[in-house]
């Protein structure tokens, strides 16, 4: 059976260059980077080469990049320790953040009495940056702002430069969950002036179980995980050398073909949208469509019909992997927190299709063919 993978926002397949690099490290570079002998020094140089690659792509200094097990760990590290050690008592965020941010914020509100303010979002998922400005102008003390760059469910992209400029003008630290953006959009930290940024390798064709955060030296927080002196005392635990090397190879590869990849995915997305609109009735798209969107993510809203609940199931049995925008709790499907925040109509079905530079028009044609009969045609 043909299989089509359109769930790249969930995770991405490894690039063959990444597999080669990781295999080489696993086979031939088994040292512990903390050991002082040859094997240790050899592993250490791999880790530091990878850090250099990441720092040069993101235009920051190598001392500002710290490897972690995931973006989830990186986000927890920053948010929790900014509260625990840097005197943050108020966090301004948005209701469409990933659960690893939202649940951390809920924890901080409940157990550390942090005041959490969620910005209003419009029906495309754009947080209200005027509101951010007015909140900071009223009170900027002990405040941290945490906003994602690209929403993982609907692809809406934040005006990150403007958000950072607002925070900088009030000298308020800003954390950005850039998991869906790193490897897909150019990020120049020397211009953006963020305090913290987080990423996860498996979202950009690198391995699972490895991520990193950027921490600006004006906003240092202490370590979250205690133990050895790894990552310059910022993140204890023996480094995942093959993961770190794989991460750097993936980022480097994507960065080299950056504009080409973006344009290709954007063309594919337009093609898919056109096919859907041409063939099926009452198709809508969630999130920004004209500007400020990441083309890799397309959230399609299908009209109510007797088959709508079976859409995901039917795509799956036809070999098509996509993601439902519904969360199933105790057997009852309800729209995800993101779809609720953008007031998606609950009787419609939202499906997230997410692409990579390796997705083809044939893949799209196959999906359109299989959607016949599953959603009302024109
Ligand atoms: N933030 C965003 C926007 C995401 O999409 C994800 C994963 O889906 C994460 C954070 C968490 O990434 P990880 O599970 O790799 O820690």
């Amino acid at each position: 059976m043909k299989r089509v993978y359109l769930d790249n926002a969930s995770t991405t397949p490894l690039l063959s260059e990444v597999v080669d690099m990781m295999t080489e490290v696993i086979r031939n570079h088994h040292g512990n980077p903390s050991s002082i002998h040859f094997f240790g020094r050899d592993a250490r140089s791999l880790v530091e080469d990878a850090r250099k690659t990441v720092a040069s792509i993101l235009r920051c200094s190598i001392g500002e990049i710290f490897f972690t097990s995931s973006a989830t760990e990186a986000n927890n590290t920053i948010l929790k320790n900014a509260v625990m050690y840097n005197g943050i008592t108020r966090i301004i965020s948005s209701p469409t953040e990933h659960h690893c941010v939202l649940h951390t914020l809920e924890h901080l509100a409940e157990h550390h009495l942090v005041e959490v303010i969620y910005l209003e979002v419009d029906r495309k998922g754009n947080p209200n940056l005027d509101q951010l400005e007015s909140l900071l102008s009223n009170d900027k003390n002990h405040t941290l702002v945490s906003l994602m760059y690209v929403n993982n469910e609907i692809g809406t992209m934040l005006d990150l430069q403007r958000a950072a400029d607002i925070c900088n003008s009030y000298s308020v630290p800003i954390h950005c969950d850039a998991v869906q953006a790193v490897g897909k959009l150019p990020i120049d930290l020397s211009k953006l002036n963020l305090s913290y940024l987080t990423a996860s390798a498996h979202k950009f064709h690198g391995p699972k179980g490895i991520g990193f955060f950027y921490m600006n030296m004006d906003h240092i927080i202490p370590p979250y995980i205690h133990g050895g002196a790894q990552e310059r005392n910022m993140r204890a635990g023996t480094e995942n050398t093959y993961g770190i090397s794989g991460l750097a190879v993936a980022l480097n590869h994507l960065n080299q073909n950056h504009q080409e990849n973006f344009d290709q995915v954007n063309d594919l997305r337009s093609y898919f949208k056109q096919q859907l609109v041409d063939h099926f009735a009452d198709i809508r798209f969630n999130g920004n469509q004209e500007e400020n969107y990441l083309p890799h993510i397309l959230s399609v809203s299908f009209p109510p019909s007797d088959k709508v609940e079976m859409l995901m199931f039917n795509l799956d049995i036809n070999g098509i992997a996509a993601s439902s925008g519904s969360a199933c709790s105790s057997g009852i499907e309800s729209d995800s927190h993101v779809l609720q925040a953008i007031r998606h109509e609950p009787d419609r079905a939202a499906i997230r299709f997410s692409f990579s530079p390796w997705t083809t028009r044939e893949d799209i044609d196959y999906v359109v063919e299989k959607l016949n009969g599953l959603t009302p045609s024109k």
Side-chain angles (χ1 to χ4, degrees):
M1 183 177 53
K2 183 173 168 68
R3 293 206 183 272
V4 173
Y5 186 73
L6 296 183
D7 200 17
N8 290 278
S10 170
T11 197
T12 51
L14 293 185
L15 292 171
S16 65
E17 293 86 342
V18 173
V19 177
D20 290 347
M21 179 63 172
M22 292 178 72
T23 309
E24 165 64 19
V25 178
I26 289 167
R27 280 193 205 284
N28 298 321
H29 305 268
H30 74 270
N32 183 328
S34 299
S35 302
I36 55 166
H37 49 61
F38 167 79
F39 294 94
R41 293 198 305 278
D42 171 59
R44 162 69 45 214
S45 77
L46 287 172
V47 171
E48 296 315 319
D49 283 352
R51 200 187 314 281
K52 211 180 287 172
T53 302
V54 174
S56 81
I57 289 170
L58 297 182
R59 307 233 167 109
C60 62
S61 83
I62 48 174
E64 294 171 318
I65 297 294
F66 301 90
F67 294 112
T68 59
S69 68
S70 59
T72 298
E73 182 197 318
N75 285 334
N76 270 263
T77 300
I78 289 153
L79 296 169
K80 289 183 178 162
N81 280 2
V83 168
M84 236 97 81
Y85 303 102
N86 286 13
I88 297 296
T89 55
R90 187 172 78 139
I91 299 181
I92 301 174
S93 188
S94 101
T96 58
E97 298 296 310
H98 188 267
H99 274 148
C100 69
V101 167
L102 286 183
H103 290 165
T104 303
L105 296 181
E106 284 162 19
H107 170 86
L108 290 169
E110 193 177 330
H111 298 284
H112 298 271
L113 307 178
V114 171
E115 180 193 3
V116 180
I117 300 172
Y118 297 100
L119 296 175
E120 295 154 4
V121 294
D122 66 16
R123 297 201 66 169
K124 307 256 181 232
N126 301 291
N128 186 338
L129 295 184
D130 294 335
Q131 188 195 4
L132 173 65
E133 168 115 52
S134 99
L135 282 165
L136 294 182
S137 71
N138 281 338
D139 180 8
K140 61 173 199 151
N141 290 331
H142 310 292
T143 301
L144 170 77
V145 171
S146 177
L147 291 171
M148 71 201 319
Y149 195 176
V150 171
N151 184 273
N152 51 300
E153 285 193 36
I154 56 175
T156 289
M157 191 197 296
L158 175 72
D159 183 347
L160 183 55
Q161 186 68 65
R162 181 167 174 230
D165 289 347
I166 293 171
C167 292
N168 287 316
S169 68
Y170 291 94
S171 304
V172 163
I174 173 167
H175 158 246
C176 178
D177 171 345
V179 166
Q180 295 292 344
V182 169
K184 296 164 196 158
L185 297 172
I187 296 178
D188 183 344
L189 289 169
S190 71
K191 292 208 182 103
L192 271 171
N193 212 2
L194 298 174
S195 319
Y196 312 102
L197 173 135
T198 54
S200 203
H202 72 103
K203 305 287 184 178
F204 53 85
H205 304 276
K208 294 171 181 60
I210 185 75
F212 67 87
F213 64 88
Y214 155 83
M215 177 169 73
N216 181 290
M217 286 299 119
D218 292 337
H219 299 281
I220 296 176
I221 49 167
Y224 178 59
I225 292 184
H226 297 98
Q230 290 90 355
E231 295 299 283
R232 300 178 312 293
N233 280 313
M234 262 310 293
R235 199 281 184 181
T238 301
E239 294 90 339
N240 172 357
T241 45
Y242 34 89
I244 291 171
S245 297
L247 179 155
V249 169
L251 189 58
N252 195 31
H253 185 88
L254 288 187
N255 192 54
Q256 280 170 11
N257 302 303
H258 194 262
Q259 193 59 47
E260 199 184 305
N261 288 343
F262 187 94
D263 293 344
Q264 195 181 316
V265 175
N266 203 25
D267 280 353
L268 196 86
R269 177 184 197 266
S270 306
Y271 177 70
F272 191 20
K273 284 179 68 176
Q274 196 59 51
Q275 292 293 310
L276 289 171
V277 169
D278 287 351
H279 286 84
F280 305 108
D282 192 14
I283 293 290
R284 298 182 202 161
F285 302 103
N286 297 312
N288 290 336
Q289 298 304 312
E290 304 306 325
E291 55 179 7
N292 295 333
Y293 65 85
L294 182 82
H296 300 63
I297 296 174
L298 182 65
S299 171
V300 183
S301 174
F302 292 91
S305 79
D306 51 351
K307 304 222 179 77
V308 79
E309 279 166 25
M310 299 299 282
L311 254 175
M312 276 299 299
F313 176 69
N314 277 302
L315 289 176
D316 187 31
I317 56 176
N318 281 299
I320 299 162
S323 234
S324 122
S326 307
C328 188
S329 52
S330 26
I332 303 160
E333 292 248 331
S334 63
D335 270 354
S336 74
H337 66 284
V338 176
L339 294 173
Q340 285 180 22
I342 62 168
R343 280 84 83 196
H344 179 256
E345 289 167 41
D347 55 346
R348 298 176 65 90
I351 296 190
R352 176 187 70 183
F353 298 95
S354 46
F355 319 114
S356 83
W358 293 274
T359 311
T360 63
R361 282 200 177 204
E362 289 71 49
D363 293 337
I364 300 299
D365 292 341
Y366 181 74
V367 176
V368 172
E369 181 197 319
K370 294 299 171 191
L371 279 169
N372 272 309
L374 299 178
T375 186
S377 51
K378 267 201 159 155

